[in-house]
């Protein structure tokens, strides 16, 4: 897995503004946490974590990322080729349409990143790029946070993120209160 981390870092540190290598490693660690409680294909899930946003700057980042990841993994010596299809499916479905256990674990691991302060900072950067006002950015993030928390596939994901969810929600509500004295 160390070789794959090096390859991921090389790709994820090139002109990535939001979903960079720090995000990939956060998702990687979240997969590890979830696998302590849920059954899943560890190699596929951890590999998908390293590469799922490799093409994030493209419109069809899930499809393009799956294709690039497939190419990388096929060229990686000693990588189990029988895992590639599952990995590319995880990447394609990390934002919508999760049906399998692995897809649900992976989606939750990715969303868990949004509950960290770095995830919040990433969100503010994205909203600024979209020309949102600061107030609209905070309101939008607060709405999304609630949606993501309630939309987790597993109870354990809510348990693992509960403290971060509550802290970030209070922070966002406090920030919004400055606009409505």
């Amino acid at each position: 897995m160390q070789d794959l981390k090096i390859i991921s870092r090389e790709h994820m540190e090139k002109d990535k503004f939001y979903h960079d290598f720090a995000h990939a490693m956060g998702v990687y660690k979240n997969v590890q946490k979830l696998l302590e409680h849920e059954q899943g294909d560890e190699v596929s899930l951890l590999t998908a974590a390293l590469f799922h946003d490799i093409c994030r700057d493209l419109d069809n980042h899930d499809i393009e990322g799956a294709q690039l990841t497939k190419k990388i993994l096929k060229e990686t010596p000693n990588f189990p080729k029988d895992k590639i299809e599952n990995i590319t499916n995880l990447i394609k479905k990390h934002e919508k349409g999760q049906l399998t256990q692995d897809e649900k674990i992976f989606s939750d691991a990715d969303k868990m990143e949004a509950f960290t302060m770095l995830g919040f900072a990433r969100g503010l950067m994205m909203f600024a790029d979209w020309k949102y006002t600061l107030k609209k950015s905070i309101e939008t993030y607060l709405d999304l946070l609630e949606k993501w928390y309630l939309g987790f596939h597993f109870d354990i994901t809510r348990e693992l993120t509960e403290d971060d969810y509550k802290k970030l929600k209070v922070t966002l509500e406090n920030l919004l209160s400055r606009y409505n004295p």
Side-chain angles (χ1 to χ4, degrees):
M1 202 55 71
Q2 194 59 36
D3 289 345
L4 294 177
K5 286 181 184 177
I6 292 167
I7 295 167
S8 173
R9 180 186 290 270
E10 289 170 0
H11 284 275
M12 297 300 292
E13 289 186 346
K14 289 183 203 169
D15 302 324
K16 301 289 189 247
F17 295 104
Y18 319 120
H19 295 79
D20 54 11
F21 187 67
H23 170 68
M25 287 307 300
V27 175
Y28 185 96
K29 290 173 185 171
N30 291 337
V31 165
Q32 290 176 316
K33 290 177 193 173
L34 288 172
L35 287 175
E36 292 175 13
H37 305 277
E38 297 290 336
Q39 294 292 317
D41 180 344
E42 182 176 31
V43 171
S44 294
L45 288 161
L46 292 175
T47 303
L50 294 173
F51 295 100
H52 73 285
D53 280 334
I54 197 168
C55 291
R56 185 63 189 199
D57 51 335
L58 302 176
D59 288 336
N60 293 320
H61 85 278
D62 48 355
I63 304 298
E64 298 290 333
Q67 290 173 350
L68 179 55
T69 300
K70 183 177 188 175
K71 180 181 182 295
I72 291 168
L73 296 177
K74 281 185 172 184
E75 295 171 0
T76 302
N78 302 318
F79 187 81
K81 305 305 182 221
D82 63 322
K83 301 282 186 186
I84 294 174
E85 185 176 343
N86 189 34
I87 293 164
T88 57
N89 284 334
L90 291 170
I91 293 170
K92 287 176 189 174
K93 293 187 173 185
H94 75 275
E95 291 190 339
K96 59 185 177 292
Q98 301 87 26
L99 299 173
T100 70
Q101 176 79 354
D102 281 352
E103 291 166 358
K104 291 174 182 178
I105 290 170
F106 192 68
S107 173
D108 278 11
D110 187 34
K111 292 288 185 282
M112 288 169 74
E113 258 304 280
F115 293 80
T116 66
M117 290 309 293
L118 188 56
F120 174 52
R122 186 176 292 111
L124 287 181
M125 283 183 65
M126 290 173 68
F127 294 146
D129 196 34
W130 299 343
K131 308 292 186 228
Y132 283 22
T133 64
L134 183 55
K135 181 181 180 190
K136 181 177 179 182
S137 297
I138 295 166
E139 290 170 338
T140 301
Y141 209 87
L142 187 58
D143 290 342
L144 287 171
L145 203 65
E146 185 79 11
K147 176 184 168 189
W148 292 330
Y149 185 76
L150 297 174
F152 282 136
H153 294 97
F154 304 104
D155 291 337
I156 189 61
T157 312
R158 275 184 288 285
E159 287 178 38
L160 291 169
T161 58
E162 185 174 14
D163 287 344
D164 289 334
Y165 167 68
K166 288 178 179 177
K167 287 177 193 170
L168 190 50
K169 185 175 179 180
V170 166
T171 298
L172 293 167
E173 289 169 343
N174 285 338
L175 290 170
L176 272 182
S177 73
R178 294 174 182 247
Y179 287 97
N180 306 312

